[in-house]
């Protein structure tokens, strides 16, 4: 079974050449990255609070960086890589908004104090970078994870930096542009409500109900193409479990009372949000722990390799540029030094509260929790990003797990005290926010380090760039959060108006913490999910061993299919199927009797690279339009002036037709371009 990009030339490690002397970490690159950060972080904060989604900024940042740096002399692919690294780190850190607004929602904060919010972001993000240093060797250079967005970003950088006279590069750039334009145009039609952004419906299954749908997102098709059939099938299994079995069961008897399609949809989607997602959280928690167990060996080897590299450099031995991480003594020293500001932040949060007399116990628990769970979270998030990409990695589920485990530990230690539940809920959210900062960055930076590996970047310079990106994001996020609170407010908080932002993840995590301290959380749902996850793990182990690792059923991907909205969970497997069919076609190139095996293989690899670029273009176009649309919405005080059509049935039919036509056009053009290259050996890289 195809594992995504592991068979393509584009996913092979970059071979260092004289190119290793190119400049990477430059002042102009840092400045450009910082400026891009302002736009992307603002857009992500707004979208995250409004609809609970953020977009990966690596590829848009790479595109913008190339356009700007072309104006300067001496620009190169590595410098562009640093710019996208800075911007993507800052943009990804904005996912901290999935936790922090909860402190306002529960009435503990009345606003977002700049220094406190900034330090939470900065410390959590920096720890995320430090924890990922040994993980790079384990999950990037020593792993065959597909890293779809990391590979896509590398392809964008390569095509933009390549010889413009090379025929394959010319056509590769054209196919990226065509895919990007198609994807952006569909995004525009969806924003105008001329075409549906998704089609979904609920229907009855006996006395119960379920729903099915698909996000009409060309970017998700591109992601599916890049992650491959193994992940796609696993997610589809998750969809069957959640929407084919669990949802009809949990709604059994209640669906009959829902009269009309709208009422049924509201009832079914409400059950999914309040029950099925918690089952998915349980499945993902078990899968995450199993993932950690499986990668413990590679992580230990990664730490050992990092220490060996540090000793070799200290002894004066030359170490390849592409294997130079931040020295491990600096990594461990930074982690230990972070204990001081973490302790101060926690003490300052407790000062003046009704639980301040328990400060020593609570701070000790939280510091240990942040360090230990932070490392686990970094490992799991890095693995998830490698499996399915940072954009589609269900990082909010990691936040829920962090809140859940933090609340349980704090509740156990505070049992029997007279501490108020409200104070404990707020303190739990604050502790989890630091862990979530680790999660957001580790979810992104291993993706960036994969891009760096493919373009021959120096790891330690990219890791420094990640820290710079964290610093930029930490300064930008607090005032934007305060602006959103002042201008709109959040649903559920006291005094929230009709235009209040939903902040759905923050509301969910607040309810999880409140449920634990008020003893109202339904543990049966989470335990059921854990049991399902355990069964999937057993099946995966049996399948992997019986097939000699040819087939597998990644438990984490199954959990994602259970947890994510059905519109996303369905479209990624569809994209994987389209990519698999395209690669099957590519494998058939050059099989005529007059072709040698070498020539046929070369033609197939060229065709597959073109498919990778087509999928990349679909991701690029929608990502860039997402930035533009977010800016338009923010400038219009929360209203989208692009919504000029009524939507409805016509928009659904028109959307499906245009979406299908767009997929057919991009893959048809890609096949024609690849076919025109298959007999030109000189175009092969």
């Amino acid at each position: 079974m195809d594992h995504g990009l592991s068979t393509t030339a584009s996913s092979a490690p970059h071979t260092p050449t004289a190119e290793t002397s190119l400049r990477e970490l430059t002042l102009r690159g840092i400045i450009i990255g910082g400026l891009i950060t302002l736009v992307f972080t603002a857009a992500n904060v707004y979208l995250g609070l409004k609809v609970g989604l953020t977009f990966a900024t690596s590829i848009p940042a790479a595109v913008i960086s190339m356009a700007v740096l072309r104006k300067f002399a001496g620009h190169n692919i590595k410098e562009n890589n640093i710019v996208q690294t800075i911007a993507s780190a800052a943009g990804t850190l904005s996912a901290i908004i999935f936790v922090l607004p909860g402190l306002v929602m529960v009435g503990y904060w009345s606003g977002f104090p700049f220094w406190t919010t900034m330090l939470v972001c900065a410390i959590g993000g920096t720890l995320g970078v430090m924890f990922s240093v040994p993980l790079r060797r384990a999950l990037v250079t020593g792993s065959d994870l597909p890293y779809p967005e990391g590979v896509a970003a590398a392809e964008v950088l390569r095509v933009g930096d390549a010889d413009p006279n090379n025929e394959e590069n010319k056509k590769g750039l054209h196919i990226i542009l065509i895919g990007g334009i198609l994807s952006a145009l569909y995004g525009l039609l969806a924003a105008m409500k001329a075409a549906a952004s998704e089609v979904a419906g609920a229907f009855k299954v006996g006395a119960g109900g379920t729903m099915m749908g698909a996000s009409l997102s060309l970017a998700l098709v591109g992601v599916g193409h890049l992650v491959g059939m193994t992940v796609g099938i696993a997610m589809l299994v998750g969809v069957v479990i959640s929407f084919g079995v669990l949802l009809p069961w949990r709604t059994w008897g209640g669906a009959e009372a829902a009269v009309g399609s709208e009422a049924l949809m509201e009832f079914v989607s409400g059950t999914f949000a309040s029950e099925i997602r918690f089952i998915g959280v349980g499945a993902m928690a078990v899968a995450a722990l199993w993932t950690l167990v499986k990668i413990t060996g590679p992580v230990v080897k990664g730490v050992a390799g990092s220490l060996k590299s540090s000793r070799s450099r200290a002894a004066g031995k030359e170490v390849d540029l592409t294997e130079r991480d931040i020295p491990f003594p600096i990594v461990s020293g930074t982690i230990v030094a972070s204990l001081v500001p973490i302790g101060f932040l926690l003490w300052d949060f407790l000062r003046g509260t009704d639980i301040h007399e328990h400060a020593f116990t609570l701070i000790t628990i939280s510091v240990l929790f942040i360090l230990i769970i932070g490392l686990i979270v970094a490992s799991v998030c890095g693995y998830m990003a490698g499996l399915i990409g940072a954009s589609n990695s269900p990082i909010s589920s990691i936040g829920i797990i962090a809140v859940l485990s933090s609340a349980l530990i704090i509740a156990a230690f505070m049992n029997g005290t007279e501490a108020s539940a409200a104070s404990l809920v707020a303190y739990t959210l604050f502790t989890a926010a630091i862990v979530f900062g680790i999660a957001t960055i580790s979810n992104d930076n291993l993706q960036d380090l994969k891009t760096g590996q493919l373009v021959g970047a120096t790891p330690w310079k990219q890791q420094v760039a990640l820290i710079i990106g964290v610093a930029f994001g930490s300064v930008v996020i607090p005032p934007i959060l305060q602006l959103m609170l002042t201008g709109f407010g959040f649903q559920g908080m006291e005094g929230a108006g009709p235009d209040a932002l939903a902040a759905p993840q923050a509301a969910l995590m607040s309810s999880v913490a409140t449920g634990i301290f008020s003893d109202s959380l339904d543990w049966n749902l989470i335990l059921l999910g854990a049991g399902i996850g355990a069964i999937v793990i057993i099946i995966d182990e049996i399948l992997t061993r019986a097939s000699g690792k040819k087939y597998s059923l990644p438990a984490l991907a199954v959990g994602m299919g259970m947890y994510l909205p059905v519109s996303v969970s369905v479209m990624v497997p569809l994209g994987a199927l389209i990519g698999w069919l395209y690669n099957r076609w590519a494998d058939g190139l050059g099989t005529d009797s007059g072709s040698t095996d070498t020539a046929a293989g070369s033609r197939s690899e060229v065709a597959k690279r073109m498919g990778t670029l087509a999928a990349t273009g679909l991701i690029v176009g929608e990502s860039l339009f997402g930035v533009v649309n977010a800016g338009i919405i923010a400038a219009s005080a929360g209203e989208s002036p692009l919504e000029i059509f009524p939507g409805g049935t016509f928009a659904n039919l028109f959307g499906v037709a245009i979406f299908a036509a767009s997929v057919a056009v991009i893959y048809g053009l890609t096949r024609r371009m690849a076919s025109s290259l298959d007999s030109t050996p000189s175009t092969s890289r």
Side-chain angles (χ1 to χ4, degrees):
M1 183 172 290
D2 183 14
H3 283 262
L5 302 176
S6 58
T7 60
T8 67
S10 63
S11 62
H14 180 87
T15 303
T17 63
E19 183 178 285
T20 54
S21 62
L22 297 175
R23 295 193 305 166
E24 292 184 59
L25 195 59
T26 63
L27 179 60
R28 69 187 182 190
I30 292 172
I31 293 173
I32 294 170
L35 292 175
I36 296 174
T37 288
L38 292 174
V39 177
F40 284 2
T41 303
N44 257 341
V45 168
Y46 181 82
L47 286 180
L49 292 174
K50 185 175 178 67
V51 298
L53 296 173
T54 58
F55 56 89
T57 54
S58 297
I59 294 172
V63 173
I64 295 172
S65 168
M66 287 188 297
V68 175
L69 280 178
R70 281 189 183 279
K71 309 295 183 183
F72 297 89
H75 67 85
N76 63 80
I77 191 170
K78 293 185 179 182
E79 190 177 16
N80 277 317
N81 180 54
I82 289 295
V83 174
Q84 71 87 14
T85 297
I86 292 172
S88 67
T92 302
L93 186 62
S94 60
I96 195 77
I97 60 168
F98 290 168
V99 180
L100 281 178
L103 292 167
V104 175
M105 291 177 167
V106 299
Y108 208 81
W109 274 1
S110 59
F112 297 94
F114 176 81
W115 288 108
T116 301
T117 307
M118 186 272 287
L119 286 173
V120 167
C121 295
I123 294 170
T126 301
L127 281 175
V129 176
M130 293 298 111
F131 284 147
S132 74
V133 171
L135 293 175
R136 182 189 70 83
R137 295 172 184 267
L139 296 179
V140 176
T141 60
S143 166
D144 61 355
L145 290 169
Y147 286 100
E149 288 167 356
V151 172
E155 290 293 346
V156 170
L157 291 171
R158 281 171 170 169
V159 171
D161 190 70
D163 176 12
N165 296 318
N166 182 290
E167 190 64 21
E168 183 185 342
N169 288 334
K170 278 184 180 179
K171 293 194 173 182
L173 181 58
H174 288 162
I175 208 64
I176 287 179
L177 289 174
I178 293 169
I181 291 170
L182 283 174
S183 184
L185 283 176
Y186 191 87
L188 175 61
L189 289 174
M192 295 168 66
K193 300 296 184 183
S197 57
E198 72 173 43
V199 288
F203 52 92
K204 293 181 179 180
V205 180
T210 189
M211 58 183 178
M212 192 52 61
S215 174
L216 299 181
S217 165
L218 290 168
L220 288 179
V221 172
V223 168
H225 181 136
L226 295 178
V227 300
M229 282 294 284
T230 296
V231 173
I233 290 174
M235 289 188 69
L236 202 56
V237 170
V239 171
V240 172
I241 293 172
S242 276
F243 297 93
V245 179
L246 296 176
L247 196 51
W249 169 48
R250 298 299 298 184
T251 56
W252 197 264
E256 295 178 338
V259 180
S261 58
E262 290 187 7
L264 181 61
M265 186 65 178
E266 183 178 353
F267 172 66
V268 169
S269 59
T271 303
F272 172 75
S274 62
E275 297 186 24
I276 306 304
R277 291 195 84 170
F278 283 97
I279 299 175
V281 166
M284 291 195 65
V286 169
L289 291 175
W290 181 245
T291 298
L292 181 68
V293 171
K294 292 185 71 173
I295 66 175
T296 297
V299 169
V300 171
K301 289 181 181 179
V303 173
S306 183
L307 286 169
K308 182 180 179 181
S309 177
S310 297
R311 288 193 297 266
S312 297
R313 291 173 65 183
K317 183 179 179 180
E318 186 68 20
V319 177
D320 195 292
L321 286 175
T322 58
E323 287 301 318
R324 295 182 186 178
D325 291 294
I326 294 177
F328 195 76
I330 295 178
V331 172
S332 56
T334 302
I335 292 173
V336 172
S338 69
L339 299 179
V340 176
I342 289 174
F344 171 77
L345 279 174
L346 296 171
W347 172 81
D348 185 62
F349 189 87
L350 290 169
R351 186 164 51 99
T353 69
D354 61 342
I355 54 175
H356 71 275
E357 65 268 22
H358 305 288
F360 179 79
T361 300
L362 289 172
I363 291 173
T364 302
I365 293 169
S366 294
V367 168
L368 292 175
F369 177 83
I370 289 167
L371 291 179
I372 296 172
I373 301 299
L375 179 58
I376 295 173
V377 159
S379 303
V380 173
C381 285
Y383 186 90
M384 288 196 306
L387 191 67
I388 195 174
S391 293
N392 299 288
S393 175
I395 191 168
S396 58
S397 68
I398 297 298
I400 293 171
I401 293 170
V403 169
L404 193 65
S405 54
S406 175
L408 287 173
I409 294 171
I410 291 173
F413 275 89
M414 297 300 290
N415 187 35
T417 67
E418 296 182 358
S420 70
S423 296
L424 291 175
V425 167
Y427 183 75
T428 296
L429 292 174
F430 190 75
T431 299
I434 300 175
V435 175
F436 201 69
I438 298 172
T440 60
I441 291 301
S442 55
N443 187 54
D444 169 78
N445 58 10
L446 289 175
Q447 194 87 250
D448 288 331
L449 290 170
K450 181 64 178 182
T451 300
Q453 179 207 14
L454 295 175
V455 302
T458 307
W460 77 261
K461 292 181 180 178
Q462 202 169 2
Q463 288 154 359
V464 169
L466 285 163
I467 295 173
I468 293 172
V470 166
F472 278 132
S474 300
V475 173
V476 172
I477 289 171
I480 296 176
L481 270 175
Q482 185 61 46
L483 179 65
M484 294 297 107
L485 174 61
T486 303
F488 303 106
F490 306 130
Q491 292 178 12
M493 61 175 281
E494 186 177 349
D499 297 324
L501 299 171
Q505 280 86 352
L508 179 59
M509 293 178 199
S510 300
S511 65
V512 168
T514 302
I516 289 175
F517 288 109
S518 63
D519 198 26
S520 60
L521 189 65
D522 190 346
W523 283 101
N524 292 326
L525 297 176
I526 295 173
L527 291 175
L528 173 60
I532 294 172
I535 293 172
V536 173
I537 288 170
I538 294 171
I539 294 173
D540 177 50
E541 289 298 310
I542 294 173
L543 184 62
T544 302
R545 294 179 185 181
S547 65
K549 296 186 177 180
K550 186 178 180 180
Y551 302 109
S552 62
L553 187 69
L556 204 51
V558 174
M560 290 178 190
M562 294 174 61
Y563 173 84
L564 290 172
V566 66
S567 57
V568 175
S569 298
V570 165
M571 192 51 63
V572 172
L574 178 60
L577 176 61
I578 292 171
W580 179 77
L581 291 172
Y582 176 87
N583 287 337
R584 281 284 300 271
W585 168 82
D587 286 332
L589 284 178
T591 55
D592 57 281
S593 57
S595 301
T596 64
D597 290 342
T598 302
S602 176
R603 284 189 284 271
S604 295
E605 292 305 316
V606 169
K608 287 181 180 180
R609 281 199 296 270
M610 293 293 287
T612 297
L613 293 175
T616 298
L618 296 178
I619 298 172
V620 169
E622 189 168 313
S623 298
L624 286 175
F625 179 76
V627 176
V628 174
N629 192 36
I632 293 172
I633 293 172
S636 304
E639 299 296 329
S640 178
L642 295 178
E643 295 184 10
I644 59 177
F645 292 96
T649 303
F650 175 79
N652 290 341
L653 296 174
F654 182 66
V656 171
I658 293 297
F659 181 83
S662 298
V663 172
V665 166
I666 187 63
Y667 278 96
L669 284 173
T670 305
R671 286 181 58 167
R672 282 198 288 274
M673 287 189 181
S675 297
S676 70
L677 289 169
D678 66 6
S679 59
T680 313
S682 62
T683 64
S684 181
R685 271 181 283 191

